[in-house]
Amino acid sequence: MALNDLDLTCRIGSAVLQNPVLTASGTFGYGQEYESFVNLHRLGAVVVKGISLAPRRGNPPPRVVETACGMLNAIGLENVGVERFLAEKLPYLRGMRATVIVNILGDSVEEYAALAGRLDEVAGLAAIEVNISCPNVKKGGVAFGTDPEMAAAVTQAVKGATRLPVIVKLSPNVTDVALMARAVEDAGADAVSLINTLLGMAIDSRTRRPRLANVVGGLSGPAIKPIALRMVWQVAKAVKIPVIGIGGIATAEDALEFLIAGASAIEVGTANFVNPRACEEILAGIGAYLEANKMTSLRELVGSLAI
Amino acid sequence: MPPYQLKAQIIRAETLAPDLYRLTFLAPDLAAEAKPGQFVMLRVGEGADPLLRRPFSIHQVTASGWVQVLIKVVGKGTRLLATLALGQTVDVVGPLGNRFSLHTSHHICLVGGGVGIAPLYFLARELQRSNPPAAVVPLLGARTAAELRPLADDFVALGLTPRLATDDGTLGHHGLVIAHLSELMATPAPWIVYCCGPYPMMRAVAKICREQGWACQVSLETMMACGLAACLGCAVPAADLAGPYKHVCKDGPVFGAEEVAWL
Ligand SMILES: Cc1cc2nc3c(=O)[nH]c(=O)nc-3n(C[C@H](O)[C@H](O)[C@H](O)COP(=O)(O)OP(=O)(O)OC[C@H]3O[C@@H](n4cnc5c(N)ncnc54)[C@H](O)[C@@H]3O)c2cc1C
Ligand SMILES: Cc1cc2nc3c(=O)[nH]c(=O)nc-3n(C[C@H](O)[C@H](O)[C@H](O)COP(=O)(O)O)c2cc1C
Ligand code: FES
């Protein structure tokens, strides 16, 4: 069977992605950074670096540090802001015929809604991914993603401001991730993606100082995969909307585990830093697995976990 | 289209001094594109620990497609890279970053400390090859003679006369390499200074150049996760502290000394 006889498509609200391999926000720049390594139009979607209304400077350095089988980052959501993104970054992605998902962030419900409204006016976007792992400045800096009511409020505001499919990206820094997933599903989310990074820390015992200037940062990479997989499995059982699995995916084998656990698609993050061709290799590996197992559609694999 | 990614065959693996290694690998496309000041990201092993690639300045390239890096062992990644042997491969991405800009009409001074000498040798070779400027003066420092001598000898082989300094006084001036900069101040010529080494050394050199009115280019180091301008992990404060950060892997690693903040 030829690869193009395989149905690798997956549906996110009204959007149909050609395959389930997406890039994770913040690990793939605005796409152009990887043009020497990846055919951007072959990916399920390019999820761009998180965008806010105004440009953000981000945190002081050091911003990244390696830990066992992973890394901590405290980039501080540095980005060019929505207007420069639309003027300077999006035209390139369009020119490459890439499927584009814009990841958005804000520090108030109103900012999220304003961003969604701005993106609604823009042609050629596939979906919006809402990063809710950000502090709500008006509510004392508690992250939207750790409170079901705040997460639902953001979801509702974004849905109300755009016709684009809305993916809500869940934080793992909660006790019951399925509860959060249901809250945003009820508020109208078309899909959920998880996990964002786990809050972590590293200390230099020689100087007794934190290794990140921000003291704490987000843990990503292979180290978080078992946690991410467990959370995806729990959420997939709890909601009816599609689930996008993220966390430590570096190989096709990793991706297959998430699909079997119930993810309809996956995002590749930290692995892009290590192997800039990871996304296309994972895509090829998924295709080969389906063929070897005589499946004609990705949907046969999704959620096929045998317990 | 550069940057390239490949598993490069190791052609030579040399121990220059305890904890100082020189690795030569075959990467013709990369070698053809590489410019002095640029760097490569090397993968350390195949597994998930250590996970991230490590950045290394390009030390020299040859027309036959060889690429050379100097590796100073400072932690687990560099310790593993130092065990690579002839016939094995190393997974490399590059060339990355910008380059030193050449001003051959000036008298040129190269100030290198320790493994920071690596990109300056590539620069010196380029300078000597094209139309050599009136003067190229390398000022090279390291901890001890065993580390400095093999690196300094390469500059001598180019026909240059490096002025040396070691922390322990075993070779050249006993103390900091910047002591030699004051000798240049006695000459009327406009100097342009290219500098790479430990941060305090670069800061001191930047200060002297500012006072003398000499142009100065520095090659900075930061922690890097990607080297590809994707993670934004390699930020350094710009001279305008209120402005956006500079990113070493994309805006650098080479900066005009006046572009960045010296904190
Ligand atoms: C543009 C650039 C060019 C470089 N060129 C060379 C070179 O030519 N030769 C050479 O030997 N080294 C070079 N370095 C430094 C080299 O990348 C680090 O020494 C190496 O990544 C350390 O890895 P490790 O696993 O051995 O150390 P780790 O165990 O990760 O850390 C050991 C120590 O090294 C420091 N360190 C870790 N990563 C970096 C980093 N990316 N930059 C600076 N310090 C770091 C840590 O803070 C720690 O103090 C360069 C760095 C940059 C950014
Ligand atoms: C350097 C870095 C920057 C990130 N920036 C963002 C971001 O801007 N928005 C977002 O929603 N997630 C961001 N993430 C989280 C990733 O998209 C992903 O959820 C997480 O890293 C887990 O996946 P991984 O283990 O495959 O990296 C970032 C992660 C890293 C490592
Ligand atoms: S190292 Fe990732 S952006 Fe510079």
Side-chain angles (χ1 to χ4, degrees):
Chain A
M1 181 170 36
L3 204 59
N4 47 15
D5 292 335
L6 276 176
D7 179 8
L8 286 172
T9 59
C10 57
R11 186 178 278 280
I12 307 289
S14 58
V16 178
L17 307 182
Q18 62 177 336
N19 68 60
V21 179
L22 286 57
T23 65
S25 177
T27 65
F28 207 72
Y30 300 105
Q32 187 162 11
E33 292 81 355
Y34 282 83
E35 67 181 348
S36 306
F37 308 109
V38 175
N39 291 293
L40 298 175
H41 69 273
R42 290 212 195 127
L43 300 178
V46 173
V47 183
V48 297
K49 173 69 186 167
I51 298 288
S52 48
L53 269 184
R56 292 201 185 193
R57 295 184 75 219
N59 288 327
R63 290 176 170 187
V64 291
V65 60
E66 186 175 285
T67 55
C69 301
M71 64 176 279
L72 289 167
N73 88 80
I75 307 300
L77 300 167
E78 175 182 343
N79 77 91
V80 297
V82 69
E83 293 309 328
R84 272 188 63 201
F85 167 72
L86 295 176
E88 297 170 21
K89 309 292 180 183
L90 186 59
Y92 169 82
L93 287 166
R94 279 213 193 98
M96 298 305 287
R97 291 176 291 120
T99 303
V100 181
I101 295 178
V102 181
N103 179 289
I104 63 170
L105 63 108
D107 52 25
S108 67
V109 172
E110 295 74 21
E111 183 173 354
Y112 281 103
L115 274 162
R118 181 71 184 90
L119 294 173
D120 190 59
E121 302 160 12
V122 176
L125 299 179
I128 293 176
E129 182 179 63
V130 188
N131 176 4
I132 56 171
S133 301
C134 305
N136 184 346
V137 169
K138 291 186 184 160
K139 291 274 165 68
V142 184
F144 290 97
T146 58
D147 177 305
E149 277 171 35
M150 290 194 324
V154 171
T155 307
Q156 218 158 24
V158 170
K159 275 300 284 182
T162 181
R163 290 156 294 180
L164 289 166
V166 172
I167 305 161
V168 178
K169 182 164 176 179
L170 302 178
S171 165
N173 303 309
V174 295
T175 316
D176 185 352
V177 71
L179 179 79
M180 299 299 304
R182 275 193 303 266
V184 302
E185 179 182 41
D186 291 344
D190 296 291
V192 288
S193 56
L194 71 157
I195 59 177
N196 210 316
T197 53
L198 285 149
L199 205 53
M201 184 170 176
I203 294 173
D204 184 340
S205 64
R206 204 172 35 87
T207 60
R208 299 188 205 168
R209 296 170 61 85
R211 288 194 186 270
L212 295 172
N214 189 53
V215 184
V216 296
L219 182 64
S220 66
I224 72 170
K225 199 189 89 178
I227 301 170
L229 193 59
R230 182 266 295 175
M231 289 189 162
V232 164
W233 176 65
Q234 288 178 322
V235 166
K237 286 191 300 179
V239 298
K240 294 189 186 62
I241 51 178
V243 176
I244 302 173
I246 323 169
I249 297 174
T251 63
E253 178 67 34
D254 296 331
L256 291 165
E257 291 183 40
F258 279 83
L259 296 167
I260 293 165
S264 299
I266 57 99
E267 294 181 13
V268 181
T270 301
N272 292 306
F273 302 156
V274 181
N275 172 12
R277 298 181 207 282
C279 286
E280 281 201 85
E281 289 177 10
I282 289 168
L283 177 56
I286 293 172
Y289 177 92
L290 293 179
E291 271 185 40
N293 287 276
K294 311 233 171 338
M295 294 183 186
T296 55
S297 160
L298 180 69
R299 279 181 288 277
E300 293 174 55
L301 180 68
V302 170
S304 62
L305 181 71
I307 295 183
Chain B
M1 193 173 29
Y4 304 99
Q5 185 249 325
L6 69 153
K7 284 201 168 64
Q9 204 70 36
I10 292 166
I11 293 168
R12 211 189 270 165
E14 301 157 278
T15 306
L16 299 184
D19 287 346
L20 183 63
Y21 297 83
R22 188 160 59 194
L23 196 65
T24 310
F25 50 86
L26 184 66
D29 293 339
L30 200 164
E33 292 285 340
K35 302 285 184 297
Q38 290 189 296
F39 66 99
V40 293
M41 295 289 285
L42 299 185
R43 186 152 178 196
V44 184
E46 305 257 289
D49 199 19
L51 180 67
L52 300 170
R53 290 172 183 267
R54 303 293 197 261
F56 294 91
S57 300
I58 299 172
H59 182 43
Q60 72 170 311
V61 298
T62 66
S64 49
W66 295 13
V67 178
Q68 205 166 61
V69 293
L70 282 180
I71 297 174
K72 165 97 181 152
V73 173
V74 298
K76 66 181 170 195
T78 43
R79 187 163 298 117
L80 282 165
L81 285 168
T83 65
L84 286 172
L86 189 70
Q88 289 182 288
T89 59
V90 60
D91 187 335
V92 54
V93 172
L96 298 166
N98 67 356
R99 52 169 300 169
F100 291 110
S101 48
L102 301 187
H103 300 276
T104 43
S105 56
H106 288 62
H107 286 51
I108 286 175
C109 176
L110 311 173
V111 188
V115 84
I117 293 170
L120 297 179
Y121 176 70
F122 188 7
L123 176 62
R125 261 185 43 151
E126 277 307 287
L127 288 168
Q128 291 300 87
R129 190 182 5 229
S130 42
N131 77 72
V136 177
V137 179
L139 313 180
L140 308 177
R143 268 186 326 179
T144 186
E147 281 180 10
L148 186 55
R149 188 168 285 117
L151 304 181
D153 285 349
D154 287 340
F155 287 79
V156 174
L158 289 178
L160 300 171
T161 313
R163 300 178 197 180
L164 307 179
T166 46
D167 295 347
D168 63 1
T170 48
L171 186 61
H173 170 73
H174 186 168
L176 298 176
V177 70
I178 45 174
H180 290 300
L181 259 187
S182 54
E183 297 160 24
L184 301 188
M185 293 180 202
T187 61
W191 289 88
I192 174 160
V193 178
Y194 298 88
C195 181
C196 186
Y199 186 84
M201 182 195 108
M202 292 197 283
R203 183 173 51 198
V205 170
K207 180 165 178 280
I208 292 171
C209 291
R210 192 169 58 241
E211 289 162 1
Q212 296 295 317
W214 297 338
C216 176
Q217 292 176 31
V218 294
S219 177
L220 297 185
E221 283 190 9
T222 51
M223 301 294 276
M224 287 187 175
C226 72
L228 301 171
C231 75
L232 307 180
C234 60
V236 291
D240 169 15
L241 283 173
Y245 287 100
K246 303 266 183 198
H247 297 94
V248 172
C249 77
K250 179 182 65 169
D251 307 317
V254 179
F255 294 92
E258 70 291 345
E259 285 181 80
V260 290
W262 295 100
L263 304 172

